[in-house]
Amino acid sequence: MPTSETVKKLQAEARAAYEKHNTPERAAAFRLQRGQAQTNGNAAAGAPRGPRN
């Protein structure tokens, strides 16, 4: 089934918006922030830190 021009245009706009908002830099910043939040949450919950000897 052929794709209409309107659908192609909307797909191109969605692709451009996704690429604009989901850059590798933003993904890296999100991973760093998520890791820090997880670390803080673990500390608040009383998780042990350091090596377990």
Side-chain angles (χ1 to χ4, degrees):
M1 185 164 151
T3 306
S4 71
E5 291 302 316
T6 304
V7 171
K8 289 180 183 178
K9 180 182 175 207
L10 290 172
Q11 287 174 334
E13 289 174 4
R15 186 179 311 107
Y18 179 85
E19 290 171 355
K20 176 183 176 186
H21 295 290
N22 294 283
T23 64
E25 292 81 10
R26 290 179 70 88
F30 177 76
R31 284 193 304 273
L32 286 172
Q33 185 177 18
R34 182 181 62 206
Q36 187 62 48
Q38 183 174 356
T39 301
N40 292 344
N42 290 345
R49 296 187 304 174
R52 298 180 185 186
N53 292 336

